[in-house]
Amino acid sequence: MAIKILHAGWEIWCGLSRAARLLVINALAFNLGFYMMMPYLAHHLGSGLELAGWAVGLVMGMRVFSQQGLFLLGGTLGDRLGYRAAIIGGCLIRSGGFALLGWAEQLPVLLLAAFLTGFAGALFTPCAQAYLAEECPHPAQRQQAFALHNLASEAGMLLGPLLGLWLTQSSYALTGWVSGGVFLLLTGLQWHYLPPHRSAVSHPRERVWQQWRTILRNRAFLCFTIFSAAYGVLFHQLYLSIPAFIHSQQQTATLLGSVFTVTALIGVLLQLPASLWVQRSLGVARGMGLGLACMGCSYLLISWLAAWPVLAVLSQAVLFSLGSILCYPLFSARLPHYAAPGLLASHYGFYASVGGVVALLSNLLIGLCLGASGTTPPEWIWYLLATCGLVAGCALYRQVEREISEVPTPQRSPA
């Protein structure tokens, strides 16, 4: 079985263009460079530089805002300048931003570095997704390509913190230089091996506000974006509600680390089998619906197994991850179905910005309801998250299934 899966993965890889292969490699390197720094940034700012709590929050917030808030702008620039230029520029800016973030000690410089790293992500992420989508025009190949992309991302999430921990023990500045070096190397790879995309010569002629109005008038895309935003709501609770529960049960941070290790391992080991199952048996609509439903219902295990907190948290991580690998690549692969010609990166950017805003608002709401530090989170939160996954999953299933059924099947001409 494992040999068949590896063979299938190799066939998928060989079927991709040179540009698509480089974009998959980018996903590994992006997360490797990112996660060797970001998990340790707050500790470095607070303990290493001895900044006040508000200053730590400001730097962290600047990075998140400059990325999530500017995804639409980054995608729009990619549609106008070309994906290659935006990807190269994003890699170069993030290289400097991460090196500066590791070296800086004064708050204004730290804020500048945080802004640069966030804006770089807003620039190259939607453009890399749009480039990969257009390199794989057939829906089945696009699903396979984004499955490989997600697998590579999970591998970077797994390896990055381990490398970062080893480097940070010597110096956080060293971590910044190494991370910046990864993105500088990527800049060179894109410059030499990523060919100019055809979108670079057919950029939109409309004004920017007219492009954005076109997106806002696309009702089917807006529905898809809002329903898919449930993924971000559920995902970010791994950083909010789950740590609160672990802390309330007097468990160590090791258990939280195990959660991210489990999710990354499942992504690396089972992403291809899950994607092949979706393609051959389950279908896109069911894959999205079932994936979100599993992610939501995984939080019920926290309530049902609360008497055994370690079992509860690890079981939740397993079911959550299985749902995630089912649906997450499908979102990116499905999105081009809704995009107007010449505006694909803008649609990816809008999609990411809405997801970020919804995740932020849900974090604020749930954070207010978690109570004081060390107290057990209210049980209704787990049922609310389950409901969110089930409702969004059902809504996406109905929408996508209806859209697929409405596509006319080609009629065979008589012999």
Side-chain angles (χ1 to χ4, degrees):
M1 183 64 179
I3 295 177
K4 289 183 179 180
I5 293 171
L6 290 174
H7 180 67
W10 178 251
E11 287 186 339
I12 295 171
W13 173 262
C14 292
L16 297 178
S17 66
R18 186 182 71 174
R21 293 179 192 174
L22 181 56
L23 292 169
V24 171
I25 294 172
N26 283 353
L28 170 63
F30 285 169
N31 275 3
L32 179 68
F34 181 86
Y35 281 98
M36 75 170 63
M37 280 202 75
M38 283 302 125
Y40 312 107
L41 177 58
H43 181 268
H44 165 69
L45 296 174
S47 300
L49 302 182
E50 298 183 347
L51 295 182
W54 66 266
V56 175
L58 184 60
V59 173
M60 302 292 288
M62 174 62 78
R63 193 211 66 78
V64 174
F65 171 77
S66 61
Q67 181 161 326
Q68 299 288 353
L70 298 179
F71 267 130
L72 177 57
L73 176 61
T76 302
L77 289 174
D79 283 328
R80 291 180 169 269
L81 302 176
Y83 302 153
R84 179 178 182 271
I87 292 170
I88 291 174
C91 288
L92 186 60
I93 293 171
R94 179 160 278 190
S95 174
F98 272 163
L100 187 61
L101 196 59
W103 169 81
E105 296 183 354
Q106 302 300 319
L107 183 59
V109 184
L110 288 167
L111 289 173
L112 173 62
F115 173 81
L116 291 175
T117 60
F119 175 66
L123 188 59
F124 65 61
T125 298
C127 298
Q129 291 177 317
Y131 198 139
L132 181 59
E134 291 200 354
E135 280 294 299
C136 306
H138 192 276
Q141 187 190 36
R142 192 185 306 139
Q143 292 173 30
Q144 295 168 348
F146 276 103
L148 284 180
H149 188 274
N150 192 47
L151 187 157
S153 298
E154 294 286 351
M157 290 177 62
L158 182 64
L159 298 175
L162 298 176
L163 180 58
L165 178 62
W166 177 65
L167 292 170
T168 303
Q169 288 175 347
S170 298
S171 166
Y172 193 75
L174 176 62
T175 308
W177 287 111
V178 173
S179 180
V182 170
F183 283 95
L184 187 60
L185 176 61
L186 279 177
T187 303
L189 288 176
Q190 318 308 307
W191 182 270
H192 286 287
Y193 297 108
L194 191 64
H197 197 268
R198 57 182 174 272
S199 64
V201 296
S202 59
H203 58 78
R205 297 180 180 179
E206 296 178 320
R207 296 180 183 271
V208 170
W209 66 269
Q210 291 176 318
Q211 292 179 231
W212 292 354
R213 186 174 63 180
T214 299
I215 295 174
L216 291 173
R217 287 180 173 178
N218 189 339
R219 183 179 177 182
F221 173 64
L222 291 180
C223 291
F224 175 80
T225 298
I226 292 171
F227 297 147
S228 301
Y231 181 92
V233 174
L234 299 172
F235 179 82
H236 282 86
Q237 297 315 304
L238 296 180
Y239 299 90
L240 182 63
S241 298
I242 295 300
F245 173 77
I246 290 173
H247 182 51
S248 71
Q249 301 298 311
Q250 288 80 48
Q251 298 293 321
T252 66
T254 303
L255 180 57
L256 181 59
S258 299
V259 169
F260 295 108
T261 301
V262 166
T263 57
L265 281 175
I266 289 178
V268 171
L269 298 176
L270 298 181
Q271 180 62 75
L272 278 181
S275 297
L276 292 172
W277 181 45
V278 168
Q279 185 175 342
R280 295 172 180 173
S281 304
L282 200 59
V284 174
R286 290 191 182 93
M288 290 183 184
L290 181 59
L292 279 177
C294 287
M295 291 174 65
C297 290
S298 70
Y299 287 99
L300 294 177
L301 298 177
I302 301 294
S303 173
W304 295 347
L305 302 175
W308 306 278
V310 174
L311 177 62
V313 169
L314 294 180
S315 299
Q316 185 274 335
V318 170
L319 183 57
F320 179 94
S321 303
L322 293 175
S324 175
I325 61 176
L326 276 180
C327 64
Y328 185 67
L330 298 178
F331 297 147
S332 298
R334 179 67 182 173
L335 190 145
H337 171 79
Y338 304 101
L343 298 179
L344 183 55
S346 298
H347 280 74
Y348 273 110
F350 180 85
Y351 170 86
S353 290
V354 170
V357 170
V358 171
L360 173 62
L361 295 177
S362 65
N363 275 0
L364 289 174
L365 175 62
I366 294 176
L368 290 172
C369 298
L370 285 175
S373 176
T375 59
T376 303
E379 191 172 6
W380 61 264
I381 286 179
W382 314 124
Y383 287 88
L384 177 65
L385 293 171
T387 302
C388 174
L390 287 169
V391 171
C394 289
L396 264 182
Y397 166 74
R398 292 183 61 185
Q399 177 182 347
V400 175
E401 184 72 12
R402 182 178 65 252
E403 291 168 352
I404 293 175
S405 66
E406 289 175 354
V407 175
T409 56
Q411 299 292 324
R412 293 185 179 181
S413 58

